[in-house]
């Protein structure tokens, strides 16, 4: 259930389906995580509970996967000479989770792919600004067929991943 919540908020019935139980049984199974502040009942719509990870829960889950992402952030901040804000970290996380490489498709730009991966948590124009900043600081390398076209391929600096 926790791994499902990494993807974003979920209805109790969605979580129940994952563990082959009823939605009434979800809260008792999540209660200890709610008590510890890792999960929250985000809202109730038409008496349907929606659960999501808290920031503390996200940090704990990502750190438990290994502190590799935190190392990437530290290296990027050192290269930039400043701390990354939360939106920049989210964009960087998408690249990290995609093994450092994102390629545009015929229907979506690199920025749009990042936007959809983040489920709209960061505005598209802001993602474009972040990508431009990270590219100009050689944290992300982007390939454009010509100066006027959009970035078709983007990858993290290899040194950040090692």
């Amino acid at each position: 259930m926790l791994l499902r919540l990494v993807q974003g908020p979920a209805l109790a019935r969605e979580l129940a389906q994952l563990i082959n139980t009823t939605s009434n049984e979800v809260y008792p199974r999540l209660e200890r995580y709610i008590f510890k502040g890792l999960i929250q009942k985000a809202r109730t719509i038409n008496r349907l509970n929606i659960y999501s990870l808290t920031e503390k829960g996200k940090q704990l889950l990502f750190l438990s996967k290994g502190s590799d992402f935190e190392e990437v952030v530290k290296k990027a901040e050192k290269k930039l000479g400043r701390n990354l804000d939360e939106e920049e970290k989210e964009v960087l996380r998408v690249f990290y989770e995609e093994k450092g490489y994102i390629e545009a498709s015929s229907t979506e730009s690199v920025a749009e792919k990042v936007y959809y991966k983040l489920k709209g948590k960061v505005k598209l124009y802001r993602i474009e600004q972040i990508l431009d900043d990270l590219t100009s600081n050689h944290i992300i390398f982007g390939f454009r067929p010509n100066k006027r076209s959009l970035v078709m391929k983007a990858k993290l600096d290899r040194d950040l991943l090692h």
Side-chain angles (χ1 to χ4, degrees):
M1 289 191 296
L2 292 174
L3 293 177
R4 167 54 187 90
L5 292 174
V6 168
Q7 299 169 4
L11 290 167
R13 73 171 172 232
E14 290 176 68
L15 299 174
Q17 288 173 345
L18 291 173
I19 58 171
N20 297 321
T21 190
T22 65
S23 59
N24 294 342
E25 290 298 313
V26 169
Y27 182 82
R29 294 175 189 225
L30 294 178
E31 186 174 20
R32 66 178 170 225
Y33 301 111
I34 292 169
F35 181 73
K36 290 180 180 181
L38 304 176
I39 294 175
Q40 65 186 354
K41 185 167 71 170
R43 58 189 180 280
T44 303
I45 299 176
N46 297 332
R47 297 180 42 205
L48 299 173
N49 292 332
I50 300 172
Y51 295 94
S52 66
L53 287 174
T54 63
E55 284 304 311
K56 180 180 175 183
K58 288 177 187 175
Q59 289 174 355
L60 185 66
L61 280 175
F62 286 117
L63 289 175
S64 69
K65 288 167 100 178
S67 61
D68 293 341
F69 178 69
E70 290 301 318
E71 288 299 315
V72 169
V73 170
K74 286 179 186 175
K75 289 176 183 178
E77 289 176 340
K78 185 175 180 182
K79 207 168 189 181
L80 280 170
R82 64 174 176 79
N83 290 337
L84 294 171
D85 66 30
E86 289 306 311
E87 290 178 335
E88 291 170 321
K89 287 179 185 178
E90 290 297 322
V91 170
L92 198 59
R93 185 182 309 279
V94 171
F95 276 88
Y96 175 76
E97 290 173 353
E98 294 296 316
K99 309 292 188 260
Y101 180 78
I102 297 176
E103 186 171 345
S105 68
S106 60
T107 57
E108 294 177 333
S109 68
V110 171
E112 288 170 326
K113 284 194 168 200
V114 171
Y115 175 79
Y116 293 123
K117 290 267 184 204
L118 292 173
K119 298 179 182 353
K121 286 194 291 187
V122 180
K123 302 283 185 204
L124 183 60
Y125 76 89
R126 178 68 178 128
I127 291 171
E128 290 170 345
Q129 290 174 340
I130 292 168
L131 290 175
D132 284 343
D133 187 37
L134 295 178
T135 301
S136 65
N137 286 290
H138 306 292
I139 292 169
I140 292 175
F141 297 100
F143 168 74
R144 299 175 194 258
N146 60 53
K147 288 184 180 181
R148 295 183 193 172
S149 66
L150 294 172
V151 172
M152 299 304 293
K153 299 175 186 177
K155 69 175 194 152
L156 274 178
D157 178 1
R158 188 176 335 149
D159 293 336
L160 296 178
L161 296 172
H162 300 296

